[in-house]
């Protein structure tokens, strides 16, 4: 049995030696930039004439890598390879499957600064954000490996006289894994390895904004000795390859993390029975958020300011858990806002390679969307009190933006923006703050800063989010300690990094033998 799970420590970049190691890793990958990588289907590397280009969002003149691009024919080939591999993989004992995850986690530890370096280049994370993402991937592997060992052990059943009964968790089949770009290593590796450790085989369709991070996982799994065909790597457009596979009769489940719009589309398409399909597809969808922090009148205001800044602007607000609404009790509104603006003034936007606190947003479209939300906010009566425009630089930079006078039903208080834009909403009292916090279609994360025990207990009961935090930021869930996933339009109520998660990738079989 492996040792009890514990979270992988985050690298301390206040130590110059660690900064140096990260810079060296960035230098080491520089000569490799711009290379073209193949699809991987049944262990075979396949090149295509058409490619997906992954650019550095902080320096759009720099190509991080190019990737072969799957079409529906190649997707079909990948599916056949995964179906074939499933026939063997499903019989591999759970212990052996788990050991691949433990080995891969060891390889990730060894390659940690290199993985961070690619992430810094490909999605514009600063050192700590990138390192936390890599650490979370390691956590997922270590956690799901142990979870599979637990689930493969004897399961408790009520004894029935004269019978020997046994319940086992068996795999589902071929799964389609569709990750987002914003936790390009952790979420991608988490969904992929949860699928495979449960005995399924996988088609991994990475986000076109972060295919390199998925290619690194493929390299790591290969080095760990995972048999060919268990995970197949097929970058390609969501609209063609994605729809083709989601609607395919041989796909058994889809593990998706991304926007509500795409998640709902996948859910709808997967619900239709295709000709020849003999199961109901399972959809695990983790979607967007419109997360709020409530600042109560008696709270530690300094902690609330710092927690709001980190939650709203960490990784440029591009986290599903990011604080996009801060709902402030009228009694402390002015004091809170003044301090918030002071702290926001310290945020520097710059190159992730130089470890600037804030870097670029992911792509041009995202930058335009963020700008248009800022325009809408102003049209609806919002007041830009900080930022509000693009920031200088050779990439897709946006200033951290704070908008006051936002009404609870304004567009920027309701729709996910996915960028560094914080709406400040004033509430008369705690009851009103809680009602505003709950008044969206989402339910992912939330925080309450308060010293009032009665208010905290009310929030425990009534603040309807999957991950609720008291007197701390609303980002930074830890595998094992904070199983993660939201309610309502934030997804299918799953909890990544929790004890229920692997059950979503299995089905339970009961065998009852008459003695
Ligand atoms: P997105 O929905 O644009 O894309 C997600 C993935 O879906 C990508 O791999 C994309 O290529 C793919 N895709 C697009 N169209 C498809 C189709 N028709 N069929 C199949 N696949 C298709 O989201 P994104 O921009 O990559 O990520 C940001 C979103 O993810 C935000 O909404 C964020 O809140 C959400 N998110 C949620 C969680 C969570 O745990 N709830 C975690 C991270 C991100």
């Amino acid at each position: 049995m492996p040792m009890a799970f514990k979270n992988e420590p985050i690298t301390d970049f206040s130590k110059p030696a660690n900064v140096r190691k990260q810079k060296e890793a960035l230098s080491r990958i520089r000569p490799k930039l711009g290379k073209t990588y193949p699809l991987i289907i049944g262990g075979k590397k396949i090149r295509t004439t058409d490619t997906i280009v992954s650019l550095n969002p902080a320096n759009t003149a720099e190509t991080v890598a190019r990737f072969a691009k799957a079409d529906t024919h190649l997707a079909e080939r990948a599916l056949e390879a995964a179906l074939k591999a499933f026939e063997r993989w499903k019989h591999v004992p759970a212990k052996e499957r788990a050991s691949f995850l433990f080995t891969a986690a060891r390889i990730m530890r060894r390659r940690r600064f290199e993985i961070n370096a690619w992430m810094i280049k490909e999605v514009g994370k600063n050192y700590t954000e990138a390192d936390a993402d890599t650490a979370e991937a390691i956590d997922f592997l270590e956690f799901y490996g142990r979870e599979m060992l637990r689930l493969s052990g004897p399961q408790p059943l009520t004894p029935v006289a004269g019978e020997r009964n046994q319940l086992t968790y068996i795999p589902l089949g071929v799964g389609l894994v569709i990750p987002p770009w914003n936790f390009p290593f952790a979420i991608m590796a988490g969904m992929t390895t949860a699928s495979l450790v449960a005995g399924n085989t996988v088609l991994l369709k990475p986000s076109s904004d972060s295919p390199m991070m998925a290619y690194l996982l493929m390299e790591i799994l290969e080095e760990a000795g995972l048999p060919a065909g268990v995970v197949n790597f097929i970058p390609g457009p969501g609209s063609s390859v994605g729809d083709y596979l989601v609607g395919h009769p041989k796909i058994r489940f889809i593990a998706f993390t991304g926007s509500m719009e795409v998640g709902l589309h996948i859910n709808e398409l997967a619900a239709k029975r295709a000709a020849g399909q003999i199961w109901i597809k399972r959809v695990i969808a983790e979607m967007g958020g419109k997360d709020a922090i409530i600042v109560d009148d008696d709270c530690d205001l300094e902690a609330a300011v710092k927690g709001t800044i980190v939650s709203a602007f960490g990784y440029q607000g591009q986290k599903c858990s990011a604080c996009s609404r801060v709902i402030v009790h009228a009694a402390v509104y002015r004091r809170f806002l003044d301090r918030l603006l002071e702290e926001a003034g310290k945020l520097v936007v710059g190159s992730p390679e130089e470890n600037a606190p804030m870097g670029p947003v992911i792509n041009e479209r995202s930058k335009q969307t963020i700008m248009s939300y800022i325009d809408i906010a102003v049209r609806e009566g919002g007041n830009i009190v900080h930022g509000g425009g693009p920031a200088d630089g050779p990439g897709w930079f946006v200033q951290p933006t704070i908008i006051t006078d936002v009404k609870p039903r304004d567009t920027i208080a309701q729709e996910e923006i996915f960028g560094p834009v914080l709406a400040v909403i004033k509430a008369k009292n705690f009851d009103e703050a809680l009602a505003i916090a709950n008044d969206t279609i989402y339910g992912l994360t939330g925080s309450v800063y308060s010293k009032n025990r009665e208010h905290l207990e009310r929030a425990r009961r009534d603040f309807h989010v999957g991950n609720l935090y008291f007197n701390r930021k609303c980002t930074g869930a830890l595998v094992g300690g904070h199983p993660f996933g939201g309610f309502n339009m934030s997804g299918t109520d799953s909890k990544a990094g929790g004890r229920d998660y692997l059950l979503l990738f299995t089905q339970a079989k009961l065998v009852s033998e008459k003695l």
Side-chain angles (χ1 to χ4, degrees):
M1 272 304 268
M3 284 173 9
F5 171 78
K6 59 180 195 329
N7 295 109
E8 187 68 15
I10 307 292
T11 307
D12 179 358
F13 286 107
S14 68
K15 294 201 170 116
N18 287 333
V19 172
R20 201 176 53 244
K21 280 189 202 160
Q22 193 54 71
K23 283 192 191 290
E24 281 165 8
L26 279 158
S27 305
R28 272 200 306 278
I29 68 162
R30 213 155 278 138
K32 299 182 187 163
L33 293 175
K35 275 178 58 177
T36 303
Y37 296 87
L39 310 177
I40 305 177
I41 296 178
K44 291 203 177 60
K45 307 220 155 106
I46 296 168
R47 298 191 180 265
T48 60
T49 40
D50 210 3
T51 55
I52 290 172
V53 183
S54 174
L55 297 178
N56 177 351
N59 176 10
T60 54
E62 185 171 80
T63 297
V64 175
R66 289 172 198 276
F67 288 85
K69 189 177 184 178
D71 56 15
T72 52
H73 294 291
L74 288 163
E76 182 65 35
R77 257 177 81 181
L79 185 68
E80 278 157 22
L83 281 167
K84 192 162 160 230
F86 181 62
E87 290 311 309
R88 290 188 311 274
W89 184 243
K90 67 182 176 186
H91 297 304
V92 171
K95 199 169 162 203
E96 215 174 297
R97 297 197 307 257
S99 74
F100 286 110
L101 270 60
F102 301 139
T103 306
R106 277 199 297 280
I107 299 169
M108 286 179 187
R109 280 192 198 95
R110 193 189 76 222
R111 295 180 64 176
R112 179 137 176 188
F113 287 99
E114 182 205 349
I115 296 167
N116 295 351
W118 282 109
M119 212 177 325
I120 291 164
K121 283 277 188 196
E122 189 167 52
V123 300
K125 291 203 172 194
N126 66 23
Y127 294 8
T128 303
E129 294 285 353
D131 189 72
D133 195 318
T134 308
E136 189 178 359
I138 295 169
D139 280 352
F140 278 136
L141 270 61
E142 294 284 0
F143 187 81
Y144 294 146
R146 285 165 176 76
E147 278 297 288
M148 196 61 235
L149 295 179
R150 182 174 70 81
L151 289 179
S152 65
Q155 298 302 314
L157 293 171
T158 304
V160 178
E163 289 179 6
R164 184 167 50 229
N165 295 333
Q166 186 197 25
L167 182 133
T168 49
Y169 291 106
I170 66 168
L172 294 168
V174 176
L176 173 60
V177 171
I178 309 178
W181 52 264
N182 73 324
F183 281 89
F185 201 59
I187 292 181
M188 178 274 308
M191 294 198 297
T192 304
T193 58
S195 303
L196 75 88
V197 81
N200 306 292
T201 54
V202 174
L203 303 180
L204 171 57
K205 194 214 81 61
S207 164
S208 301
D209 286 308
S210 57
M212 189 65 208
M213 301 316 301
Y215 195 82
L216 289 178
L217 178 70
M218 295 303 294
E219 282 184 358
I220 289 165
L221 293 176
E222 190 181 6
E223 186 185 335
L226 191 76
V230 173
V231 181
N232 302 277
F233 174 71
I234 45 163
S239 49
S240 54
V241 168
D243 280 1
Y244 176 77
L245 287 173
V246 171
H248 200 290
K250 299 285 185 200
I251 287 287
R252 180 64 180 83
F253 69 95
I254 298 135
F256 166 82
T257 305
S259 62
M260 176 186 75
E261 290 74 16
V262 175
L264 290 178
H265 169 74
I266 287 173
N267 193 46
E268 202 176 320
L269 195 57
K272 288 204 185 91
R273 181 184 175 191
Q277 185 178 320
I278 60 164
W279 47 61
I280 297 173
K281 285 175 199 163
R282 199 177 288 178
V283 175
I284 303 144
E286 313 195 30
M287 314 193 309
K290 192 69 209 170
D291 313 308
I293 291 182
I294 294 179
V295 179
D296 204 0
D297 58 351
D298 67 346
C299 75
D300 176 344
L301 220 56
E302 273 310 293
V305 167
K306 299 242 163 77
T308 303
I309 290 282
V310 175
S311 305
F313 300 119
Y315 189 37
Q316 296 78 263
Q318 300 174 116
K319 299 182 186 178
C320 53
S321 54
C323 169
S324 56
R325 299 178 295 153
V326 61
I327 305 167
V328 189
H329 193 297
V332 289
Y333 183 83
R334 196 63 254 171
R335 270 198 298 143
F336 175 81
L337 188 60
D338 288 347
R339 278 291 296 122
L340 188 76
L341 292 176
E342 244 172 73
E343 288 300 313
K346 294 180 192 163
L347 290 171
V348 179
V349 180
S351 168
E353 281 179 61
E354 297 305 321
N355 203 16
M358 286 186 65
V361 300
I362 191 68
N363 56 34
E364 176 66 31
R365 198 177 32 145
S366 173
K367 184 175 168 182
Q368 294 309 330
T369 306
I370 294 164
M371 288 304 148
S372 69
Y373 271 114
I374 294 173
D375 287 345
I376 293 171
V378 172
R379 276 209 303 280
E380 293 181 358
N383 188 16
I384 299 173
V385 290
H386 187 82
D392 291 340
W396 295 299
F397 292 96
V398 175
Q399 293 171 346
T401 297
I402 300 176
I403 303 181
T404 59
D405 301 291
V406 177
K407 298 175 288 306
R409 283 276 158 161
D410 284 355
T411 307
I412 67 154
Q414 292 290 321
E415 294 181 15
E416 187 181 47
I417 301 173
F418 224 59
V421 181
L422 176 66
V424 187
I425 304 175
K426 195 194 281 185
K428 280 201 298 284
N429 52 40
F430 184 77
D431 285 352
E432 189 181 73
L434 196 51
I436 295 169
N438 278 331
D439 186 22
T440 76
I441 58 174
Y442 294 104
L444 191 46
T445 75
S447 288
V448 179
Y449 281 89
S450 180
K451 286 186 187 140
N452 183 321
R453 184 41 58 187
E454 195 261 317
H455 287 177
L456 292 175
E457 291 311 316
R458 195 122 47 88
R460 187 191 299 277
R461 195 188 62 192
D462 295 336
F463 197 161
H464 194 58
V465 291
N467 286 65
L468 178 61
Y469 304 102
F470 291 162
N471 296 313
R472 53 150 286 184
K473 62 184 180 160
C474 63
T475 54
L478 284 174
V479 171
H482 311 132
F484 188 81
F487 303 147
N488 294 348
M489 281 298 166
S490 292
T492 46
D493 318 312
S494 52
K495 279 281 188 258
R499 282 168 68 96
D500 307 329
Y501 192 67
L502 279 197
L503 294 177
L504 301 168
F505 298 84
T506 64
Q507 49 198 339
K509 181 170 183 177
L510 185 280
V511 178
S512 176
E513 184 175 350
K514 190 96 188 131
L515 294 174

